[in-house]
Amino acid sequence: MKRKQYMFAILVIITSLFLFFYFNHSSDVKESIIYFPIDPKIFFEKTDTVLNVPKKHDEDEYTIQWDVESTLGKKAYLRQDISLLFEDGMLKETLSKWGENTNQILQEKTINNEDSGHFEAISFHHAELHYPNDVIRSAQSMSYDQLYVIDSPLKPLESFKDPETEEDKINKKILDHATNQQLKVIWHNLIKYFNVPVDNYYMIPLTKIYDYSYIPLPGLTKEKTDQIIGGLWEGIYKNYFLGIKNDKGEIEPPNGSSLPLILLSKDMTHLLFLTETKSGSNIQLVQYLNQ
């Protein structure tokens, strides 16, 4: 009897350990973005990031409607989209959603806000594709949107993506100038703090990475550009989106951090990712580029 009880206890322990490692491993696999060689035959049929202000709002605050959508040409083993929303050059909110054996991801979020602001959202759409003989490939894309919101006590709330009137142009110029001045100071301090020889780098704000969805990075092929961007977003997800390890070794939420500046080395050996956290920590991440 004792021997049977002993064997049963051992079986329970083994089963518990198996389930523990299985579910923890599954969680790690699902909630991650990993770059694999891109399958040139698989494309996203739709990728979209949209910001707008619903017509109904009260006098004290307004709501930003933030929608992210993507559809792949076929079902994938794993689909995941992440999105970053910046207000006046500072990270305001994040979005993330994954799904198994699906081709489509839909996300939406409403953000309450007050005062005028320039909002930018950039999204990374990713698919992990599994084939026979343990072959894994990926598909990826990006989408972007921006919105200027003018909240004045003297006039009704208005918003626009691109200025149409002379007044819109003036408001855009004012908001852009304030944001650019703030980021210029932050980036200058980061570059000085980490002693970066800027003449050796191409400097690209993170939201401008979207421009390289269809054109290559300076001095690179489109194939190499896609590889670098895929690896960049893998690093962003692990080391920025999920939390930033500050100079004290503590993990900070990314919200409130500055718009990251990407510096691509002109010798194509590495890139730098610079940002300042909400608490004021200077952060530098390095990604080495395989030739």
Side-chain angles (χ1 to χ4, degrees):
M1 179 65 70
K2 289 184 178 180
R3 187 172 185 276
K4 288 184 178 179
Q5 291 176 337
Y6 175 76
M7 294 300 294
F8 179 75
I10 293 295
L11 181 61
V12 170
I13 292 172
I14 292 173
T15 303
S16 298
L17 287 172
F18 171 78
L19 291 174
F20 173 80
F21 285 113
Y22 174 79
F23 285 114
N24 275 275
H25 175 71
S26 297
S27 176
D28 289 343
V29 170
K30 292 173 183 175
E31 298 180 11
S32 63
I33 289 177
I34 302 174
Y35 173 81
F36 293 99
I38 293 174
D39 188 334
K41 298 178 182 178
I42 306 299
F43 301 95
F44 279 90
E45 295 177 346
K46 181 178 183 179
T47 57
D48 212 1
T49 297
V50 179
L51 299 173
N52 63 69
V53 177
K55 291 183 179 180
K56 292 184 179 181
H57 51 267
D58 60 38
E59 295 181 358
D60 297 324
E61 63 179 25
Y62 57 90
T63 299
I64 297 286
Q65 180 67 35
W66 177 18
D67 297 308
V68 179
E69 177 183 356
S70 65
T71 304
L72 192 68
K74 61 172 286 184
K75 287 186 177 181
Y77 172 80
L78 177 65
R79 281 286 344 273
Q80 184 161 0
D81 286 357
I82 65 172
S83 190
L84 303 168
L85 176 65
F86 295 90
E87 179 186 6
D88 299 332
M90 298 295 164
L91 183 66
K92 188 171 183 66
E93 293 284 352
T94 63
L95 269 179
S96 176
K97 187 176 182 180
W98 59 265
E100 292 180 289
N101 193 33
T102 186
N103 67 330
Q104 188 176 53
I105 297 287
L106 301 172
Q107 298 182 81
E108 62 177 27
K109 194 170 190 176
T110 55
I111 311 293
N112 293 326
N113 207 68
E114 55 185 27
D115 299 328
S116 301
H118 177 211
F119 298 86
E120 293 182 280
I122 184 168
S123 305
F124 183 66
H125 313 280
H126 183 260
E128 188 176 307
L129 304 155
H130 287 211
Y131 297 111
N133 302 317
D134 296 325
V135 174
I136 303 177
R137 294 290 182 263
S138 65
Q140 65 185 40
S141 187
M142 293 184 287
S143 59
Y144 169 88
D145 196 20
Q146 68 171 348
L147 187 70
Y148 290 87
V149 180
I150 309 303
D151 187 11
S152 170
L154 305 177
K155 294 183 178 181
L157 184 84
E158 68 168 313
S159 63
F160 58 86
K161 297 182 185 296
D162 296 299
E164 296 181 358
T165 67
E166 197 60 38
E167 187 176 6
D168 287 348
K169 293 177 182 178
I170 293 172
N171 287 327
K172 178 183 182 300
K173 186 175 182 180
I174 292 171
L175 289 174
D176 286 348
H177 178 75
T179 298
N180 292 339
Q181 286 298 107
Q182 179 176 227
L183 288 175
K184 184 177 180 181
V185 171
I186 291 172
W187 291 341
H188 173 78
N189 290 339
L190 285 164
I191 289 167
K192 184 177 180 181
Y193 182 84
F194 291 109
N195 195 26
V196 179
V198 291
D199 290 341
N200 297 336
Y201 293 87
Y202 299 107
M203 295 189 288
I204 310 167
L206 178 60
T207 47
K208 297 300 181 184
I209 285 291
Y210 170 72
D211 295 344
Y212 300 97
S213 298
Y214 306 103
I215 62 173
L217 287 162
L220 295 174
T221 63
K222 187 62 174 67
E223 181 181 5
K224 185 64 177 179
T225 294
D226 292 340
Q227 178 186 336
I228 289 173
I229 288 175
L232 171 64
W233 279 103
E234 177 181 342
I236 288 172
Y237 183 72
K238 292 177 180 177
N239 302 300
Y240 181 75
F241 189 95
L242 295 178
I244 307 169
K245 189 174 183 179
N246 63 25
D247 48 18
K248 297 179 181 178
E250 302 166 340
I251 303 297
E252 286 189 48
N255 290 20
S257 61
S258 64
L259 176 66
L261 180 65
I262 310 300
L263 294 101
L264 173 65
S265 65
K266 292 181 179 179
D267 63 6
M268 303 303 163
T269 59
H270 66 282
L271 61 79
L272 305 177
F273 177 99
L274 303 181
T275 187
E276 180 185 271
T277 68
K278 185 177 181 180
S279 69
S281 290
N282 295 324
I283 304 298
Q284 175 181 258
L285 304 175
V286 183
Q287 177 182 327
Y288 293 99
L289 311 178
N290 296 323
Q291 299 298 314

PDB file of all heavy atoms in Angstrom, residues 8 12 22 41 43 55 71-72 75 91 95 98 114 132 136 149 168 180 197 202 215 222 224 243 258 266 281 290:
ATOM      1  N   PHE A   8       2.129   7.025  -6.515  1.00  0.00           N
ATOM      2  CA  PHE A   8       1.087   8.006  -6.864  1.00  0.00           C
ATOM      3  C   PHE A   8       1.572   9.428  -6.606  1.00  0.00           C
ATOM      4  O   PHE A   8       1.354  10.334  -7.407  1.00  0.00           O
ATOM      5  CB  PHE A   8      -0.178   7.726  -6.049  1.00  0.00           C
ATOM      6  CG  PHE A   8      -1.291   8.703  -6.333  1.00  0.00           C
ATOM      7  CD1 PHE A   8      -2.031   8.632  -7.504  1.00  0.00           C
ATOM      8  CD2 PHE A   8      -1.582   9.715  -5.415  1.00  0.00           C
ATOM      9  CE1 PHE A   8      -3.043   9.540  -7.760  1.00  0.00           C
ATOM     10  CE2 PHE A   8      -2.590  10.623  -5.678  1.00  0.00           C
ATOM     11  CZ  PHE A   8      -3.322  10.530  -6.851  1.00  0.00           C
ATOM     12  N   VAL A  12       2.028  12.475  -9.305  1.00  0.00           N
ATOM     13  CA  VAL A  12       1.413  13.792  -9.144  1.00  0.00           C
ATOM     14  C   VAL A  12       2.444  14.896  -9.300  1.00  0.00           C
ATOM     15  O   VAL A  12       2.213  15.910  -9.967  1.00  0.00           O
ATOM     16  CB  VAL A  12       0.716  13.905  -7.769  1.00  0.00           C
ATOM     17  CG1 VAL A  12       0.297  15.349  -7.499  1.00  0.00           C
ATOM     18  CG2 VAL A  12      -0.505  12.991  -7.714  1.00  0.00           C
ATOM     19  N   TYR A  22       4.896  23.445 -19.075  1.00  0.00           N
ATOM     20  CA  TYR A  22       4.167  23.550 -20.336  1.00  0.00           C
ATOM     21  C   TYR A  22       3.461  24.888 -20.448  1.00  0.00           C
ATOM     22  O   TYR A  22       3.598  25.604 -21.437  1.00  0.00           O
ATOM     23  CB  TYR A  22       3.149  22.417 -20.455  1.00  0.00           C
ATOM     24  CG  TYR A  22       2.268  22.558 -21.671  1.00  0.00           C
ATOM     25  CD1 TYR A  22       2.722  22.195 -22.943  1.00  0.00           C
ATOM     26  CD2 TYR A  22       0.976  23.085 -21.554  1.00  0.00           C
ATOM     27  CE1 TYR A  22       1.920  22.337 -24.059  1.00  0.00           C
ATOM     28  CE2 TYR A  22       0.169  23.230 -22.667  1.00  0.00           C
ATOM     29  CZ  TYR A  22       0.650  22.851 -23.916  1.00  0.00           C
ATOM     30  OH  TYR A  22      -0.161  23.003 -25.002  1.00  0.00           O
ATOM     31  N   LYS A  41       6.358  35.122 -49.696  1.00  0.00           N
ATOM     32  CA  LYS A  41       5.101  34.795 -50.364  1.00  0.00           C
ATOM     33  C   LYS A  41       3.874  35.186 -49.540  1.00  0.00           C
ATOM     34  O   LYS A  41       2.744  35.100 -50.034  1.00  0.00           O
ATOM     35  CB  LYS A  41       5.049  33.292 -50.672  1.00  0.00           C
ATOM     36  CG  LYS A  41       6.158  32.819 -51.616  1.00  0.00           C
ATOM     37  CD  LYS A  41       6.066  31.323 -51.831  1.00  0.00           C
ATOM     38  CE  LYS A  41       7.192  30.829 -52.740  1.00  0.00           C
ATOM     39  NZ  LYS A  41       7.117  29.343 -52.918  1.00  0.00           N
ATOM     40  N   PHE A  43       1.796  38.004 -47.313  1.00  0.00           N
ATOM     41  CA  PHE A  43       1.669  39.448 -47.126  1.00  0.00           C
ATOM     42  C   PHE A  43       0.460  39.780 -46.253  1.00  0.00           C
ATOM     43  O   PHE A  43      -0.488  38.996 -46.157  1.00  0.00           O
ATOM     44  CB  PHE A  43       1.503  40.151 -48.481  1.00  0.00           C
ATOM     45  CG  PHE A  43       2.639  39.936 -49.436  1.00  0.00           C
ATOM     46  CD1 PHE A  43       2.573  38.927 -50.386  1.00  0.00           C
ATOM     47  CD2 PHE A  43       3.768  40.728 -49.375  1.00  0.00           C
ATOM     48  CE1 PHE A  43       3.618  38.723 -51.272  1.00  0.00           C
ATOM     49  CE2 PHE A  43       4.826  40.535 -50.255  1.00  0.00           C
ATOM     50  CZ  PHE A  43       4.752  39.521 -51.214  1.00  0.00           C
ATOM     51  N   LYS A  55     -17.413  62.791 -32.060  1.00  0.00           N
ATOM     52  CA  LYS A  55     -18.055  64.115 -32.052  1.00  0.00           C
ATOM     53  C   LYS A  55     -18.562  64.509 -30.673  1.00  0.00           C
ATOM     54  O   LYS A  55     -18.543  65.685 -30.303  1.00  0.00           O
ATOM     55  CB  LYS A  55     -19.192  64.130 -33.075  1.00  0.00           C
ATOM     56  CG  LYS A  55     -18.706  64.067 -34.515  1.00  0.00           C
ATOM     57  CD  LYS A  55     -19.860  64.155 -35.492  1.00  0.00           C
ATOM     58  CE  LYS A  55     -19.346  64.124 -36.927  1.00  0.00           C
ATOM     59  NZ  LYS A  55     -20.461  64.208 -37.912  1.00  0.00           N
ATOM     60  N   THR A  71      -4.834  42.252 -41.098  1.00  0.00           N
ATOM     61  CA  THR A  71      -5.298  40.983 -41.648  1.00  0.00           C
ATOM     62  C   THR A  71      -4.209  40.406 -42.546  1.00  0.00           C
ATOM     63  O   THR A  71      -3.776  41.054 -43.504  1.00  0.00           O
ATOM     64  CB  THR A  71      -6.591  41.168 -42.467  1.00  0.00           C
ATOM     65  OG1 THR A  71      -7.586  41.784 -41.650  1.00  0.00           O
ATOM     66  CG2 THR A  71      -7.106  39.829 -42.960  1.00  0.00           C
ATOM     67  N   LEU A  72      -3.779  39.194 -42.218  1.00  0.00           N
ATOM     68  CA  LEU A  72      -2.768  38.492 -43.005  1.00  0.00           C
ATOM     69  C   LEU A  72      -3.454  37.697 -44.107  1.00  0.00           C
ATOM     70  O   LEU A  72      -4.637  37.356 -44.009  1.00  0.00           O
ATOM     71  CB  LEU A  72      -1.967  37.557 -42.085  1.00  0.00           C
ATOM     72  CG  LEU A  72      -0.682  36.941 -42.651  1.00  0.00           C
ATOM     73  CD1 LEU A  72       0.372  38.026 -42.863  1.00  0.00           C
ATOM     74  CD2 LEU A  72      -0.135  35.857 -41.716  1.00  0.00           C
ATOM     75  N   LYS A  75      -4.007  32.182 -42.334  1.00  0.00           N
ATOM     76  CA  LYS A  75      -3.919  31.996 -40.899  1.00  0.00           C
ATOM     77  C   LYS A  75      -2.478  31.692 -40.502  1.00  0.00           C
ATOM     78  O   LYS A  75      -1.761  31.001 -41.217  1.00  0.00           O
ATOM     79  CB  LYS A  75      -4.839  30.854 -40.440  1.00  0.00           C
ATOM     80  CG  LYS A  75      -6.314  31.206 -40.475  1.00  0.00           C
ATOM     81  CD  LYS A  75      -7.156  30.088 -39.885  1.00  0.00           C
ATOM     82  CE  LYS A  75      -8.632  30.481 -39.860  1.00  0.00           C
ATOM     83  NZ  LYS A  75      -9.474  29.403 -39.269  1.00  0.00           N
ATOM     84  N   LEU A  91       5.437  59.051 -24.556  1.00  0.00           N
ATOM     85  CA  LEU A  91       4.584  57.873 -24.681  1.00  0.00           C
ATOM     86  C   LEU A  91       3.409  57.975 -23.724  1.00  0.00           C
ATOM     87  O   LEU A  91       3.583  58.082 -22.513  1.00  0.00           O
ATOM     88  CB  LEU A  91       5.384  56.600 -24.378  1.00  0.00           C
ATOM     89  CG  LEU A  91       4.599  55.297 -24.561  1.00  0.00           C
ATOM     90  CD1 LEU A  91       4.230  55.087 -26.021  1.00  0.00           C
ATOM     91  CD2 LEU A  91       5.404  54.100 -24.051  1.00  0.00           C
ATOM     92  N   LEU A  95      -0.799  49.460 -26.719  1.00  0.00           N
ATOM     93  CA  LEU A  95      -1.786  48.433 -27.040  1.00  0.00           C
ATOM     94  C   LEU A  95      -1.055  47.170 -27.467  1.00  0.00           C
ATOM     95  O   LEU A  95      -0.015  47.235 -28.136  1.00  0.00           O
ATOM     96  CB  LEU A  95      -2.689  48.880 -28.193  1.00  0.00           C
ATOM     97  CG  LEU A  95      -3.990  49.613 -27.899  1.00  0.00           C
ATOM     98  CD1 LEU A  95      -4.690  49.964 -29.210  1.00  0.00           C
ATOM     99  CD2 LEU A  95      -4.913  48.785 -27.025  1.00  0.00           C
ATOM    100  N   TRP A  98      -2.528  39.324 -29.046  1.00  0.00           N
ATOM    101  CA  TRP A  98      -2.029  38.201 -29.816  1.00  0.00           C
ATOM    102  C   TRP A  98      -3.152  37.185 -30.023  1.00  0.00           C
ATOM    103  O   TRP A  98      -4.166  37.185 -29.329  1.00  0.00           O
ATOM    104  CB  TRP A  98      -0.829  37.538 -29.127  1.00  0.00           C
ATOM    105  CG  TRP A  98      -1.107  37.015 -27.737  1.00  0.00           C
ATOM    106  CD1 TRP A  98      -0.882  37.655 -26.551  1.00  0.00           C
ATOM    107  CD2 TRP A  98      -1.684  35.755 -27.395  1.00  0.00           C
ATOM    108  NE1 TRP A  98      -1.285  36.874 -25.496  1.00  0.00           N
ATOM    109  CE2 TRP A  98      -1.777  35.691 -25.985  1.00  0.00           C
ATOM    110  CE3 TRP A  98      -2.138  34.662 -28.146  1.00  0.00           C
ATOM    111  CZ2 TRP A  98      -2.304  34.597 -25.306  1.00  0.00           C
ATOM    112  CZ3 TRP A  98      -2.662  33.558 -27.461  1.00  0.00           C
ATOM    113  CH2 TRP A  98      -2.737  33.532 -26.066  1.00  0.00           C
ATOM    114  N   GLU A 114      -7.290  66.136 -22.102  1.00  0.00           N
ATOM    115  CA  GLU A 114      -7.654  67.554 -22.105  1.00  0.00           C
ATOM    116  C   GLU A 114      -6.468  68.352 -22.608  1.00  0.00           C
ATOM    117  O   GLU A 114      -5.335  67.874 -22.627  1.00  0.00           O
ATOM    118  CB  GLU A 114      -8.058  68.008 -20.701  1.00  0.00           C
ATOM    119  CG  GLU A 114      -7.019  67.741 -19.633  1.00  0.00           C
ATOM    120  CD  GLU A 114      -7.513  68.096 -18.249  1.00  0.00           C
ATOM    121  OE1 GLU A 114      -8.749  68.063 -18.019  1.00  0.00           O
ATOM    122  OE2 GLU A 114      -6.672  68.402 -17.397  1.00  0.00           O
ATOM    123  N   PRO A 132       6.337  22.496 -42.230  1.00  0.00           N
ATOM    124  CA  PRO A 132       6.903  21.172 -41.934  1.00  0.00           C
ATOM    125  C   PRO A 132       8.419  21.223 -41.736  1.00  0.00           C
ATOM    126  O   PRO A 132       9.093  22.165 -42.172  1.00  0.00           O
ATOM    127  CB  PRO A 132       6.533  20.359 -43.185  1.00  0.00           C
ATOM    128  CG  PRO A 132       5.306  21.028 -43.724  1.00  0.00           C
ATOM    129  CD  PRO A 132       5.514  22.496 -43.452  1.00  0.00           C
ATOM    130  N   ILE A 136      10.418  27.795 -39.507  1.00  0.00           N
ATOM    131  CA  ILE A 136       9.637  28.921 -39.001  1.00  0.00           C
ATOM    132  C   ILE A 136       9.991  30.170 -39.802  1.00  0.00           C
ATOM    133  O   ILE A 136      11.167  30.500 -39.976  1.00  0.00           O
ATOM    134  CB  ILE A 136       9.905  29.179 -37.505  1.00  0.00           C
ATOM    135  CG1 ILE A 136       9.620  27.925 -36.678  1.00  0.00           C
ATOM    136  CG2 ILE A 136       9.041  30.341 -37.000  1.00  0.00           C
ATOM    137  CD1 ILE A 136       9.922  28.078 -35.203  1.00  0.00           C
ATOM    138  N   VAL A 149      -5.121  67.879 -32.088  1.00  0.00           N
ATOM    139  CA  VAL A 149      -6.352  68.270 -31.405  1.00  0.00           C
ATOM    140  C   VAL A 149      -6.157  69.672 -30.839  1.00  0.00           C
ATOM    141  O   VAL A 149      -5.190  69.924 -30.100  1.00  0.00           O
ATOM    142  CB  VAL A 149      -6.720  67.292 -30.274  1.00  0.00           C
ATOM    143  CG1 VAL A 149      -8.006  67.736 -29.581  1.00  0.00           C
ATOM    144  CG2 VAL A 149      -6.884  65.882 -30.822  1.00  0.00           C
ATOM    145  N   ASP A 168      -5.356  76.181 -39.071  1.00  0.00           N
ATOM    146  CA  ASP A 168      -4.816  74.843 -38.809  1.00  0.00           C
ATOM    147  C   ASP A 168      -3.293  74.847 -38.934  1.00  0.00           C
ATOM    148  O   ASP A 168      -2.581  74.246 -38.113  1.00  0.00           O
ATOM    149  CB  ASP A 168      -5.393  73.820 -39.795  1.00  0.00           C
ATOM    150  CG  ASP A 168      -6.839  73.480 -39.506  1.00  0.00           C
ATOM    151  OD1 ASP A 168      -7.329  73.847 -38.421  1.00  0.00           O
ATOM    152  OD2 ASP A 168      -7.470  72.839 -40.364  1.00  0.00           O
ATOM    153  N   ASN A 180       9.091  69.631 -30.771  1.00  0.00           N
ATOM    154  CA  ASN A 180      10.452  69.511 -31.309  1.00  0.00           C
ATOM    155  C   ASN A 180      11.494  70.106 -30.374  1.00  0.00           C
ATOM    156  O   ASN A 180      12.594  69.549 -30.227  1.00  0.00           O
ATOM    157  CB  ASN A 180      10.533  70.184 -32.679  1.00  0.00           C
ATOM    158  CG  ASN A 180       9.740  69.443 -33.734  1.00  0.00           C
ATOM    159  OD1 ASN A 180       9.447  68.259 -33.588  1.00  0.00           O
ATOM    160  ND2 ASN A 180       9.366  70.143 -34.807  1.00  0.00           N
ATOM    161  N   PRO A 197      29.074  59.660 -31.016  1.00  0.00           N
ATOM    162  CA  PRO A 197      29.597  60.472 -32.133  1.00  0.00           C
ATOM    163  C   PRO A 197      28.567  60.548 -33.256  1.00  0.00           C
ATOM    164  O   PRO A 197      28.546  59.720 -34.158  1.00  0.00           O
ATOM    165  CB  PRO A 197      30.857  59.704 -32.560  1.00  0.00           C
ATOM    166  CG  PRO A 197      30.574  58.280 -32.180  1.00  0.00           C
ATOM    167  CD  PRO A 197      29.689  58.317 -30.970  1.00  0.00           C
ATOM    168  N   TYR A 202      23.001  57.702 -38.745  1.00  0.00           N
ATOM    169  CA  TYR A 202      21.762  58.276 -39.276  1.00  0.00           C
ATOM    170  C   TYR A 202      20.783  58.326 -38.115  1.00  0.00           C
ATOM    171  O   TYR A 202      20.581  57.321 -37.425  1.00  0.00           O
ATOM    172  CB  TYR A 202      21.178  57.404 -40.387  1.00  0.00           C
ATOM    173  CG  TYR A 202      22.077  57.226 -41.592  1.00  0.00           C
ATOM    174  CD1 TYR A 202      22.720  56.010 -41.831  1.00  0.00           C
ATOM    175  CD2 TYR A 202      22.273  58.259 -42.511  1.00  0.00           C
ATOM    176  CE1 TYR A 202      23.531  55.837 -42.939  1.00  0.00           C
ATOM    177  CE2 TYR A 202      23.086  58.097 -43.620  1.00  0.00           C
ATOM    178  CZ  TYR A 202      23.721  56.873 -43.825  1.00  0.00           C
ATOM    179  OH  TYR A 202      24.532  56.710 -44.925  1.00  0.00           O
ATOM    180  N   ILE A 215      10.468  51.738 -48.389  1.00  0.00           N
ATOM    181  CA  ILE A 215      11.762  52.151 -48.944  1.00  0.00           C
ATOM    182  C   ILE A 215      12.863  51.646 -48.018  1.00  0.00           C
ATOM    183  O   ILE A 215      12.634  51.435 -46.827  1.00  0.00           O
ATOM    184  CB  ILE A 215      11.854  53.680 -49.104  1.00  0.00           C
ATOM    185  CG1 ILE A 215      11.727  54.381 -47.744  1.00  0.00           C
ATOM    186  CG2 ILE A 215      10.803  54.184 -50.093  1.00  0.00           C
ATOM    187  CD1 ILE A 215      11.973  55.879 -47.798  1.00  0.00           C
ATOM    188  N   LYS A 222      16.261  46.637 -49.408  1.00  0.00           N
ATOM    189  CA  LYS A 222      14.968  46.516 -48.734  1.00  0.00           C
ATOM    190  C   LYS A 222      14.920  45.231 -47.900  1.00  0.00           C
ATOM    191  O   LYS A 222      14.335  45.207 -46.807  1.00  0.00           O
ATOM    192  CB  LYS A 222      13.830  46.511 -49.769  1.00  0.00           C
ATOM    193  CG  LYS A 222      12.438  46.560 -49.130  1.00  0.00           C
ATOM    194  CD  LYS A 222      12.246  47.850 -48.330  1.00  0.00           C
ATOM    195  CE  LYS A 222      10.837  48.011 -47.800  1.00  0.00           C
ATOM    196  NZ  LYS A 222      10.469  47.031 -46.775  1.00  0.00           N
ATOM    197  N   LYS A 224      17.420  43.746 -46.344  1.00  0.00           N
ATOM    198  CA  LYS A 224      18.178  43.984 -45.113  1.00  0.00           C
ATOM    199  C   LYS A 224      17.433  44.950 -44.207  1.00  0.00           C
ATOM    200  O   LYS A 224      17.441  44.803 -42.969  1.00  0.00           O
ATOM    201  CB  LYS A 224      19.562  44.538 -45.462  1.00  0.00           C
ATOM    202  CG  LYS A 224      20.491  44.701 -44.258  1.00  0.00           C
ATOM    203  CD  LYS A 224      20.808  43.368 -43.613  1.00  0.00           C
ATOM    204  CE  LYS A 224      21.779  43.531 -42.457  1.00  0.00           C
ATOM    205  NZ  LYS A 224      22.084  42.244 -41.790  1.00  0.00           N
ATOM    206  N   GLY A 243       8.472  47.020 -20.389  1.00  0.00           N
ATOM    207  CA  GLY A 243       9.087  47.667 -19.236  1.00  0.00           C
ATOM    208  C   GLY A 243      10.535  48.005 -19.534  1.00  0.00           C
ATOM    209  O   GLY A 243      11.206  47.279 -20.275  1.00  0.00           O
ATOM    210  N   SER A 258      10.297  59.394 -23.243  1.00  0.00           N
ATOM    211  CA  SER A 258      10.387  60.229 -24.444  1.00  0.00           C
ATOM    212  C   SER A 258      10.345  59.387 -25.704  1.00  0.00           C
ATOM    213  O   SER A 258      10.686  58.193 -25.697  1.00  0.00           O
ATOM    214  CB  SER A 258      11.689  61.037 -24.416  1.00  0.00           C
ATOM    215  OG  SER A 258      12.820  60.175 -24.471  1.00  0.00           O
ATOM    216  N   LYS A 266      26.586  54.268 -39.627  1.00  0.00           N
ATOM    217  CA  LYS A 266      26.837  54.361 -41.057  1.00  0.00           C
ATOM    218  C   LYS A 266      27.689  53.210 -41.575  1.00  0.00           C
ATOM    219  O   LYS A 266      27.700  52.945 -42.789  1.00  0.00           O
ATOM    220  CB  LYS A 266      27.486  55.709 -41.387  1.00  0.00           C
ATOM    221  CG  LYS A 266      26.546  56.891 -41.168  1.00  0.00           C
ATOM    222  CD  LYS A 266      27.175  58.221 -41.505  1.00  0.00           C
ATOM    223  CE  LYS A 266      26.187  59.371 -41.286  1.00  0.00           C
ATOM    224  NZ  LYS A 266      26.789  60.696 -41.576  1.00  0.00           N
ATOM    225  N   SER A 281      15.625  58.613 -16.011  1.00  0.00           N
ATOM    226  CA  SER A 281      16.775  57.754 -16.307  1.00  0.00           C
ATOM    227  C   SER A 281      17.104  57.800 -17.793  1.00  0.00           C
ATOM    228  O   SER A 281      16.205  57.763 -18.644  1.00  0.00           O
ATOM    229  CB  SER A 281      16.490  56.307 -15.899  1.00  0.00           C
ATOM    230  OG  SER A 281      16.440  56.163 -14.504  1.00  0.00           O
ATOM    231  N   ASN A 290      23.723  41.791 -37.974  1.00  0.00           N
ATOM    232  CA  ASN A 290      24.473  40.712 -38.618  1.00  0.00           C
ATOM    233  C   ASN A 290      24.648  41.038 -40.083  1.00  0.00           C
ATOM    234  O   ASN A 290      23.679  41.344 -40.783  1.00  0.00           O
ATOM    235  CB  ASN A 290      23.741  39.372 -38.469  1.00  0.00           C
ATOM    236  CG  ASN A 290      23.643  38.959 -37.012  1.00  0.00           C
ATOM    237  OD1 ASN A 290      24.565  39.186 -36.230  1.00  0.00           O
ATOM    238  ND2 ASN A 290      22.541  38.342 -36.638  1.00  0.00           N
TER     239      ASN A 290
END
